[in-house]
Amino acid sequence: MLRQFRGHKAAVHRTYFTRDGHHIASFSDDKTVSLWDISSQQISGHYEGYHNDYIRAGCVSPISENIVVSGGYDKQINMFDSRTKSVTMSVDHESPVESLIFLPSGSLLISAGGTEVRIWDVLAGKLLAKLTQNHKTVTALCLAKQGTAIVTASLDKHVKIYNVSTFQLSHDITYPSAVLSIDISRDDKTIVAGTVDGIVNITKRDTSVKHNNENKKRQARAAAIVQSDGIDMTVPIMQPDQMSKFDSALRKFNYSQALDLVLVHAVAFKKPHITVYVFDELCRRNGLVQAISGRNSKQLAFLLNFIVRYIGVRKLSKTLTHVASTVIDCYWDSFDTCTLEVRALLTKLHTVVENEILLTKRLLAIDGLVKMLLISSEVLPDATQTEKIDNKNVVKT
């Protein structure tokens, strides 16, 4: 061991070398930030009293060895200048700060905390943009593509990549567990993510496909495959103007509005796969009950008509059966107060769901019988082969 710096009174969560390589910045749960001189092993800067809670995030400027930034669970972000020994900028993230990082220019600071990622102009000390694509806490940040892309990790199991110039989402990677840490290789080909289940996930980008004009045309004609509990639903790729309305509502967690936008005749009965896609997304987000509750008689009748019409379609039945069960659970108690049309549709839907369940059980039983017959045919020898064997034995005797 080369050096040991003692001075903090609680756990130290972040440490960084400053740009000149002669100092180390440390951020601690004792609510202090320290700058250490490596050669003398002494504190060259100590900042105390600027945070009221644990300091779990920090970074150093990529262009100046004097600038250090800290972020605490008190929601405050403070920028310190070692030349003046004071705070040069203080902003409120409005959520406990989990991670901080500078863009290579040093003029923009990115903070992550709560469900938001915020971009700050450190020269003006003002907020430039918010990235609100996550619905659980954003835990980690890093940069990619030589600082032209922002990579975020979240407890909602998503790793998202944003374009720095537009702050628009460009890629979204889903992991099996909540993501706590993230990094990407210098050549941008490999992403490594640490998850809450103790697993380090390494994902390599597929570079075998060349992005030429022919591949782009083929991609435009291709279909996006959406996995839905073991059933593959083929959903044609939509243009941005077609999907922007309900997609925007989903991103803002306006689940009822998102469902309203696809429960119109032009979409539901001409492009039912889009409506089912939204149902599937609502199920994944646990927002289905919120979306279908509180509907008037006309809206409920339209919804029931859609389910009754398409619940028998094999590719859509898995999702729509779940939706049908949820609708019955939500509205069965108020059955007596519904209109005659809605009562008739609820009764019909109840019958259809029972028939689908019964049909599924029968198909499973038939499947079991077929498998037994196949196994039996493999075990029992063929009759002609048995006869040939008996004839050979007779000849030998």
Side-chain angles (χ1 to χ4, degrees), residues 14-68:
R14 308 280 180 177
T15 54
Y16 298 97
F17 283 99
T18 57
R19 183 178 179 275
D20 60 6
H22 300 317
H23 297 81
I24 293 173
S26 59
F27 307 85
S28 172
D29 276 355
D30 63 8
K31 308 171 189 176
T32 66
V33 178
S34 295
L35 273 174
W36 305 84
D37 184 275
I38 297 176
S39 58
S40 65
Q41 303 184 46
Q42 299 297 317
I43 293 178
S44 59
H46 186 70
Y47 307 97
E48 186 174 358
Y50 296 99
H51 287 281
N52 299 319
D53 206 339
Y54 298 149
I55 301 175
R56 294 289 174 88
C59 63
V60 296
S61 172
I63 60 172
S64 173
E65 60 272 15
N66 302 303
I67 301 298
V68 176

Side-chain angles (χ1 to χ4, degrees), residues 104-124:
S105 63
S107 60
L108 296 182
L109 175 71
I110 307 167
S111 62
T115 59
E116 290 186 351
V117 175
R118 299 189 176 191
I119 294 90
W120 306 88
D121 184 340
V122 298
L123 300 178

Side-chain angles (χ1 to χ4, degrees), residues 314-348:
R314 187 188 66 84
K315 292 184 178 181
L316 310 180
S317 62
K318 186 78 172 181
T319 300
L320 289 182
T321 301
H322 176 67
V323 174
S325 299
T326 307
V327 171
I328 292 171
D329 291 340
C330 287
Y331 289 97
W332 197 255
D333 291 338
S334 58
F335 179 82
D336 295 335
T337 61
C338 296
T339 62
L340 292 176
E341 182 185 9
V342 172
R343 286 188 194 181
L345 286 169
L346 276 171
T347 305
K348 185 177 181 180

Side-chain angles (χ1 to χ4, degrees), residues 134-135 152-161 169 171-179 182 191 193 195 201-203 227 281 284:
N134 295 95
H135 60 274
T152 69
S154 172
L155 294 181
D156 61 9
K157 307 178 184 179
H158 287 265
V159 169
K160 299 180 184 293
I161 303 176
L169 181 66
H171 296 86
D172 189 348
I173 305 170
T174 304
Y175 285 86
S177 302
V179 186
I182 191 72
I191 296 177
T195 53
N201 302 271
I202 300 176
T203 306
Q227 191 72 18
E281 183 66 17
R284 190 182 70 82

Side-chain angles (χ1 to χ4, degrees), residues 5 25 48 66 71 90 104 158 177 197 232 248 259 271 275 298 341 355 365 385 388 396:
F5 299 149
E48 186 174 358
N66 302 303
S90 183
H158 287 265
S177 302
D197 53 6
D232 289 334
S248 177
L259 188 56
K271 300 176 182 178
T275 304
K298 185 177 179 180
E341 182 185 9
N355 290 338
Q385 292 180 353
K388 289 180 180 178
K396 287 181 179 180

